[in-house]
C-alpha cells in the first residue's frame, strides 16, 4: 500500500493523490492547477492507461479538471462520485473544454500573424464529453466494493452540492488499513447544503488546510446586509452588479434573494428583477433543483416538501443567449445582475462592468475570493481605471464586499472535523493550502492534539503498511519558464502507445490463443509503420 502526493501538496489547487493497493492503481481526484496560465503545461506523471479507477471528491475544477486529459491519454476505467458531482461535472468539464478551445482559437489567430507555433488546448469538447461516460454515480454512506480487498464510502463534506469525504478500506496480505481523504471540508451554516458530516475511524487522514491559519469571524446576517446594499443602490437609481462563481455561490445568492423578496426587505422598488446572466450558472441551478433529495439540508428540504423552490422567486430572470445578455443593460430600471466569472477575468461579467463601473449610482458587490492579478482583485484594491475590451473605463461605482461568505471551513471548523476521529489516526497528512498554511496547520495538529502530522511536498511517497515516509517530495520550487505546447498529434500517438502497454499488462494470465492473436496484431501494425 503506497500513497503518492501529486497535487495540492504545499499548494491550494490541483488535488491529485495516487494510491497503489491490492494490485490496483487508484487516483483520488485529478484536478487542474489554477492560476496564471492554468491551461498550459499540466502533465500527468503516470501512464493514464494504467489507472484502474478514479475516486472524485467533488466537481470543482481544481479537483476534477484534468479528467478529460486523463481520458485523452488512455484512461478507460470508472470514475466514482456522488450523483450530484457527476451531474455538475457534466457541465463544468464541458465549460472547461470550451474555455480552452476558445483561448486556443484566440491565441492562434494572433500567433499566426506573428509566426508563432500553434497553440493547442489540453483537451477539447470531445474529450470532456467522452470522460463523462466513465462516471459511476454513488450514494452517501453506502459501502461500494471496488475490487478484492478494497471498498469505499462517500460522506457529505458540506462544501458543494454532492461534495464528499472518501473513506477507503484496504486489506492486503492479512493487513487491514483505512484511509480518509477529506476533500474540501465545508463551512457550517451554509444555505441549501448540509453541514459537513464527521467521521470517526481511520488509520490515516489526508485533510485540506485552505483556511487553516484564520477564522471567518462572526457569521454576518447575509440577508440583511444584502438587502441594505440593494436598497441603497436602487434608491440612487443604480444597478447592483455581482460577479459570482457559477456553481455554488450563485445558488446561495438566489437563496438569499428569495428571502429578501419573501420578507419585502427592499421597499419602494416593486417586484425588482434579478438577472442570472451565465449559461453555466443557469445549468448549475437546474442541477441544484434536480438534486434536492439527499443533498439539501433540513431547512431547504422542508421548503421543497411544501412545493417551494428555495432558489426561485418572482422577478428572477435567466439570460442564455448573447442577445438576452445585451438586453439586460437596455433595461433602465434598477436591477440585480449576477454574472460570471467570479473574478471578472472572463465571461459576461466584463460586459456588465463596462456598462456599470463608470456610473456613480451603481454598486459592484464581490462575494468571493479575488486572486492576485485578476480584474476583480484590481477593482477591489482601488483601481481608478480598468481596461475592458480595449477601452479605458473609469471606476466610479461603489465597490462592496460581502464579508465572511465562504464554502470552506475555517481553522476552527477544520479542528472540529479532525477531532472527531477516535481513536486518533496513526498519521494526518496536511494538504490543499498555501505552503506556510500547510506547515502551520500541521504544527497545530501536533501541538494541540498530539497528532503525528506531516505536510507533504509534491512527489512525496508513503508506505501505508509500515507507516513510513519514503520521500518527503520536492521542496524546491521549479523555476518559472515560458510554457511550450507539445506537438499534439505526436503527443496523442505516445499516449496511445502508453494505453496499449496498459492493455497488454491487464491481459496477463489470459488464454494463450488470445494472447498470441493479440501479439500478431501488434506485430503486424508495427511492421506497417516501422519503415
Amino acid at each position: 500500500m503506497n500513497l503518492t502526493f501529486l497535487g495540492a501538496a504545499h499548494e491550494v489547487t490541483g488535488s491529485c493523490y495516487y494510491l497503489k493497493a491490492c494490485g490496483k492503481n487508484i487516483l483520488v481526484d485529478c484536478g487542474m492547477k489554477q492560476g496564471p496560465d492554468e491551461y498550459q503545461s499540466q502533465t500527468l506523471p503516470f501512464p493514464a492507461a494504467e489507472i484502474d479507477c478514479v475516486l472524485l471528491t467533488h466537481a470543482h475544477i481544481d479537483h476534477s479538471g484534468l479528467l478529460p486529459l486523463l481520458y485523452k491519454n488512455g484512461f478507460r476505467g470508472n470514475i466514482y462520485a456522488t450523483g450530484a458531482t457527476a451531474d455538475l461535472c457534466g457541465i463544468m468539464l464541458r465549460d472547461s473544454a470550451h474555455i480552452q478551445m476558445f483561448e486556443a482559437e484566440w491565441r492562434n489567430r494572433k500567433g499566426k500573424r506573428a509566426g508563432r507555433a500553434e497553440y493547442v488546448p489540453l483537451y477539447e469538447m470531445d474529450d470532456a464529453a467522452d470522460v463523462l461516460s466513465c462516471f459511476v454515480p454513488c450514494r452517501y454512506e453506502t459501502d461500494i466494493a471496488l475490487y478484492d480487498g478494497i471498498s469505499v464510502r462517500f460522506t457529505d463534506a458540506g462544501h458543494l452540492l454532492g461534495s464528499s469525504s472518501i473513506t477507503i478500506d484496504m486489506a492486503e496480505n492479512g493487513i487491514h488499513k483505512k484511509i480518509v481523504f477529506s476533500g474540501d471540508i465545508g463551512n457550517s451554516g451554509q444555505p441549501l447544503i448540509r453541514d459537513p458530516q464527521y467521521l470517526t475511524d481511520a488509520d490515516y487522514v489526508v485533510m485540506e488546510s485552505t483556511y487553516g491559519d484564520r477564522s471567518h469571524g462572526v457569521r454576518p446576517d447575509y440577508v440583511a446586509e444584502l438587502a441594505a446594499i440593494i436598497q441603497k443602490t436602487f434608491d440612487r437609481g443604480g444597478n447592483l452588479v455581482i460577479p459570482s462563481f457559477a456553481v455554488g455561490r450563485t445558488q446561495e445568492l438566489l437563496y438569499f434573494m428569495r428571502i429578501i423578496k419573501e420578507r419585502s426587505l427592499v421597499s419602494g422598488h416593486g417586484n425588482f428583477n434579478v438577472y442570472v446572466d451565465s449559461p453555466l450558472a443557469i445549468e448549475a441551478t437546474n442541477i441544484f433543483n434536480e438534486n434536492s433529495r439527499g443533498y439539501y439540508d433540513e431547512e431547504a428540504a422542508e421548503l421543497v416538501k411544501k412545493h417551494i423552490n428555495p432558489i426561485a422567486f418572482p422577478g428572477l430572470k435567466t439570460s442564455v443567449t448573447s442577445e438576452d445578455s445585451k438586453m439586460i443593460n437596455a433595461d433602465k430600471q434598477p436591477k440585480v445582475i449576477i454574472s460570471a466569472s467570479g473574478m471578472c477575468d472572463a465571461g459576461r461579467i466584463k460586459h456588465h462592468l463596462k456598462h456599470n463601473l463608470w456610473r456613480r449610482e451603481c454598486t459592484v458587490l464581490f462575494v468571493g475570493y479575488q486572486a492576485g492579478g485578476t480584474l476583480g482583485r484590481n477593482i477591489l484594491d482601488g483601481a481608478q481605471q480598468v481596461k475592458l475590451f480595449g477601452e479605458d473605463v473609469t471606476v466610479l461605482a461603489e465597490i462592496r464586499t460581502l464579508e465572511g461568505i465562504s464554502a470552506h471551513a475555517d481553522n476552527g471548523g477544520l479542528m472540529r472535523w479532525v477531532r472527531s476521529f477516535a481513536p486518533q489516526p496513526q498519521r494526518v497528512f496536511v494538504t490543499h493550502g498555501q505552503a506556510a498554511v500547510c506547515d502551520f496547520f500541521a504544527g497545530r495538529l501536533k501541538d494541540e492534539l498530539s497528532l503525528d502530522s506531516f505536510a507533504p511536498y509534491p512527489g512525496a511517497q508513503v508506505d501505508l503498511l509500515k507507516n513510513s515516509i519514503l520521500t518527503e517530495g520536492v521542496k524546491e520550487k521549479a523555476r518559472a519558464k515560458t510554457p511550450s505546447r507539445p506537438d499534439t498529434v505526436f503527443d496523442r500517438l505516445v499516449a496511445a502507445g502508453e494505453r496499449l502497454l496498459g492493455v497488454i499488462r491487464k491481459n496477463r494470465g489470459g488464454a494463450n490463443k488470445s494472447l498470441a492473436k493479440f501479439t500478431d496484431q501488434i506485430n503486424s501494425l508495427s511492421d506497417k509503420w516501422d519503415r
Side-chain angles (χ1 to χ4, degrees), residues 39 69 72 96-97 99-105 108 118-125 127 485-486 488:
Y39 297 121
L69 180 62
K72 176 181 176 179
S96 176
I99 292 171
Q100 292 178 64
M101 293 172 69
F102 179 84
E103 182 179 355
E105 180 183 0
N108 288 331
E118 182 184 10
Y119 178 96
V120 181
L122 281 175
Y123 51 81
E124 298 186 357
M125 192 64 73
D127 303 308
R485 303 301 297 176
T488 300

Side-chain angles (χ1 to χ4, degrees), residues 265-284:
L265 298 180
V266 174
S267 61
H269 299 281
N271 185 26
F272 63 89
N273 288 332
V274 177
Y275 289 90
V276 176
D277 187 25
S278 162
L280 179 61
I282 294 166
E283 288 189 79

Side-chain angles (χ1 to χ4, degrees), residues 62-354:
D62 64 321
H63 292 255
S64 70
L66 291 188
L67 287 173
L69 180 62
L70 190 71
Y71 187 94
K72 176 181 176 179
N73 288 351
F75 170 77
R76 293 298 183 271
N78 289 332
I79 300 171
Y80 296 91
T82 64
T85 294
D87 288 346
L88 288 174
C89 281
I91 59 173
M92 296 181 74
L93 295 180
R94 284 190 176 98
D95 184 66
S96 176
H98 170 76
I99 292 171
Q100 292 178 64
M101 293 172 69
F102 179 84
E103 182 179 355
E105 180 183 0
W106 177 76
R107 284 175 178 259
N108 288 331
R109 194 164 55 244
K110 293 179 63 178
K112 192 173 184 180
R113 295 193 294 267
R116 290 194 288 266
E118 182 184 10
Y119 178 96
V120 181
L122 281 175
Y123 51 81
E124 298 186 357
M125 192 64 73
D126 286 347
D127 303 308
D130 288 343
V131 78
L132 296 175
S133 66
C134 298
F135 275 79
V136 178
C138 305
R139 294 186 177 186
Y140 286 136
E141 304 305 335
T142 301
D143 290 324
I144 302 159
L146 290 186
Y147 309 104
D148 287 343
I150 302 178
S151 66
V152 302
R153 174 182 283 252
F154 292 82
T155 298
D156 197 341
H159 171 69
L160 176 72
L161 191 78
S163 64
S164 303
S165 299
I166 299 176
T167 302
I168 306 177
D169 269 296
M170 303 168 288
E172 186 175 301
N173 299 326
I175 301 176
H176 178 271
K177 294 292 181 183
K178 182 181 290 187
I179 183 168
V180 168
F181 293 85
S182 73
D184 285 358
I185 302 167
N187 192 10
S188 61
Q190 293 185 88
L192 294 174
I193 63 175
R194 292 179 294 188
D195 288 349
Q197 304 298 297
Y198 294 153
L199 296 160
T200 60
D201 181 27
D203 296 296
Y204 300 101
V205 172
V206 179
M207 74 174 296
E208 67 118 328
S209 61
T210 312
Y211 286 95
D213 65 338
R214 74 200 82 167
S215 168
H216 295 321
V218 178
R219 184 177 179 85
D221 184 342
Y222 294 122
V223 170
E225 189 172 340
L226 184 56
I229 293 171
I230 296 172
Q231 184 77 61
K232 182 179 178 183
T233 303
F234 285 7
D235 287 348
R236 292 194 302 248
N239 298 322
L240 174 60
V241 179
I242 307 178
S244 178
F245 300 108
V247 182
R249 189 55 41 83
T250 291
Q251 292 72 39
E252 290 177 352
L253 288 169
L254 294 180
Y255 186 90
F256 297 147
M257 292 288 180
R258 181 192 59 80
I259 296 174
I260 289 170
K261 293 255 191 173
E262 182 182 80
R263 299 178 184 173
S264 300
L265 298 180
V266 174
S267 61
H269 299 281
N271 185 26
F272 63 89
N273 288 332
V274 177
Y275 289 90
V276 176
D277 187 25
S278 162
L280 179 61
I282 294 166
E283 288 189 79
T285 300
N286 291 336
I287 288 173
F288 269 68
N289 287 330
E290 294 163 2
N291 284 276
S292 59
R293 185 181 295 273
Y295 295 101
Y296 277 6
D297 61 18
E298 290 184 12
E299 185 177 355
E302 191 61 32
L303 290 172
V304 173
K305 286 181 183 179
K306 295 176 181 177
H307 304 290
I308 299 172
N309 188 333
I311 51 178
F313 45 82
L316 174 61
K317 311 247 179 224
T318 55
S319 171
V320 177
T321 69
S322 57
E323 288 302 314
D324 293 337
S325 180
K326 292 175 184 176
M327 291 303 296
I328 295 174
N329 287 296
D331 174 13
K332 300 306 179 184
Q333 292 298 314
K335 65 191 105 20
V336 176
I337 305 170
I338 303 172
S339 188
S341 70
M343 296 188 192
C344 308
D345 265 1
R348 296 181 179 181
I349 187 61
K350 296 177 74 174
H351 292 275
H352 296 300
L353 292 174
K354 180 181 178 181

Side-chain angles (χ1 to χ4, degrees), residues 357-359 379 382-386 393-399:
L357 261 181
W358 55 272
R359 299 175 58 196
I379 295 172
Q384 297 181 350
Q385 196 172 69
V386 296
V393 178
T394 301
V395 180
L396 295 176
E398 182 179 1
I399 309 300

